[in-house]
Amino acid sequence: MKREPVVVTGMGIACSAGIGIEAFADSLFAGQPGIRPIRSFDTTGFALPDRVLLGGEVADLPDDPVPSSPSLDLAARAADKTFPSLDRVQKLALLAAVEAWTSSADSLGGVRTGIVLGTVTGGIRSGETFLSKTRSSASTDADLPCRAAPESAALAVARRLRLSPVNLTVNTACASGTTAIGLAFRMIRDGKADRLLAGGAEALSLFVASGFSALKLLTTDAIRPFDRRRSGFLLGEGAAFVVLERLSSARRRGAKVFGTILGYGASADATGMVKPDLTGSGLARAMDAAIKDASLSPAEVDAINAHATATVHNDLAESAAIHRVFGERAAAIPISAAKSLTGHALGASGGMEAVASLLTLSRQALPPTPGFEEPDPACGLNVIRAGQQRALSRVLSISAGFMGHNAALLLGRADA
């Protein structure tokens, strides 16, 4: 039975490469990274003695990122005292969510709405503050532990935008944002909701920087995915969301369609906590599942937005997965990667990369991959160095995370 298409009618993003879709698109297609010294917490000891720790940090984050909007009555809702102050991840989520929702929503009368958000660390910045104040017996902020909860960002967005009845927070490691969009896609397609905000949000933190530093995965150089000189990644933060609904709903209210979610797939390697399955079989299963979910074949995929963390193990595992799925065509299919611009934003990365894929389709242009200069022959991939115009109908966006989590979305052009 042919199922009704699920379309994207709103997009929003806040990251170091740009706050807002237009600013992000400018950076994406110009190949201009938003990498800078991390200033929002003490990074002493995480870099070489003569260097600062770089990352995709969002500069000048406002205390209250929600603008006044009569159509959504946001100014009145800003007076809600549930969160007298906001955690950093809540601010980032609100920036992206409000842009996505206001670009899509006109009237919500009787519509079953909601949010599906992917995150790894949630409100960990507030958690770090809470633990610090608890040790010193100086904590007087009773709401601080609530802001530290993993689901606090989704709740803050839902309260500000009055999204109900769906409110779901998922954690599939660095595949979380992709998983969130995939789950929302299935809920819309299966008639469980009418319109959903889906994506990911993450904030830089001392905990995350400490962990990846201990694992020796952070570079002091640029992020160089699939490059023989790669030396790891830089951390990032941000949020990105899409608004999903059925095509008939979008047409009924005259909404602009930014693209189509054609298929979603997920898998788990179950091979280890950190190291991926180097055969690529787990990630390949997720990619295959997304393509089959769309009732298409690998030959009908025009480009790939890669996970591309620029670590040796991940690059080799991801390359192996692409070769498994695409066979002889793996060396020719164009591949772009966005983490060079944004840093690795963990659970938010999948949302950012879905937005990058939708922009790739709408602009009919492949964005460049900054940092990629000397191809690693062990990867054998066609990574795009300089942006180029190209006729594109479908882009596969893939994510892989610790503990063997894999997810993939097949996205289509607005008229696909």
Side-chain angles (χ1 to χ4, degrees), residues 48-111:
L48 295 177
D50 60 339
R51 301 187 188 181
V52 297
L53 182 64
L54 300 174
E57 184 173 78
V58 178
D60 303 321
L61 195 57
D63 288 335
D64 189 341
V66 182
S68 176
S69 172
S71 63
L72 291 174
D73 193 24
L74 296 174
R77 287 167 202 165
D80 187 337
K81 299 302 182 183
T82 302
F83 297 109
S85 60
L86 295 168
D87 181 85
R88 190 173 181 88
V89 74
Q90 293 173 320
K91 295 177 183 179
L92 291 164
L94 282 165
L95 275 170
V98 168
E99 181 187 22
W101 197 251
T102 55
S103 71
S104 170
D106 55 351
S107 171
L108 303 182
V111 174

Side-chain angles (χ1 to χ4, degrees), residues 383-403:
V383 181
I384 300 301
R385 299 188 214 195
Q388 54 185 264
Q389 294 297 129
R390 180 80 68 92
L392 301 164
S393 294
R394 303 171 193 92
V395 173
L396 185 67
S397 184
I398 55 183
S399 298
F402 280 0
M403 293 166 281

Side-chain angles (χ1 to χ4, degrees), residues 63-257:
D63 288 335
D64 189 341
V66 182
S68 176
S69 172
S71 63
L72 291 174
D73 193 24
L74 296 174
R77 287 167 202 165
D80 187 337
K81 299 302 182 183
T82 302
F83 297 109
S85 60
L86 295 168
D87 181 85
R88 190 173 181 88
V89 74
Q90 293 173 320
K91 295 177 183 179
L92 291 164
L94 282 165
L95 275 170
V98 168
E99 181 187 22
W101 197 251
T102 55
S103 71
S104 170
D106 55 351
S107 171
L108 303 182
V111 174
R112 297 171 301 163
T113 67
I115 178 172
V116 185
L117 182 144
T119 187
V120 177
T121 60
I124 195 168
R125 290 288 287 267
S126 288
E128 291 173 346
T129 301
F130 175 71
L131 291 174
S132 175
K133 289 186 175 181
T134 299
R135 284 197 299 269
S136 65
S137 301
S139 178
T140 59
D141 184 351
D143 293 304
L144 195 53
C146 296
R147 293 198 298 276
E151 65 273 21
S152 63
L155 179 58
V157 171
R159 290 188 69 88
R160 291 291 178 94
L161 300 180
R162 298 243 177 125
L163 304 180
S164 175
V166 179
N167 189 326
L168 179 63
T169 298
V170 298
N171 180 350
T172 52
C174 298
S176 297
T178 302
T179 302
I181 296 173
L183 292 177
F185 159 66
R186 287 184 175 173
M187 292 177 72
I188 294 288
R189 189 177 64 182
D190 295 344
K192 306 296 185 184
D194 298 319
R195 195 179 305 161
L196 291 175
L197 185 72
E202 211 77 69
L204 284 165
S205 69
L206 181 63
F207 171 77
V208 171
S210 299
F212 283 110
S213 177
L215 290 170
K216 302 188 186 308
L217 296 177
L218 300 182
T219 183
T220 55
D221 187 22
I223 303 174
R224 300 183 184 279
F226 308 114
D227 189 296
R228 68 177 186 82
R229 298 170 302 148
R230 63 184 176 272
S231 55
F233 56 80
L234 299 168
L235 290 168
E237 65 179 356
F241 290 97
V242 293
V243 178
L244 304 183
E245 61 188 292
R246 286 179 290 280
L247 178 60
S248 60
S249 168
R251 284 176 172 169
R252 188 164 52 248
R253 63 193 191 88
K256 178 179 178 180
V257 173

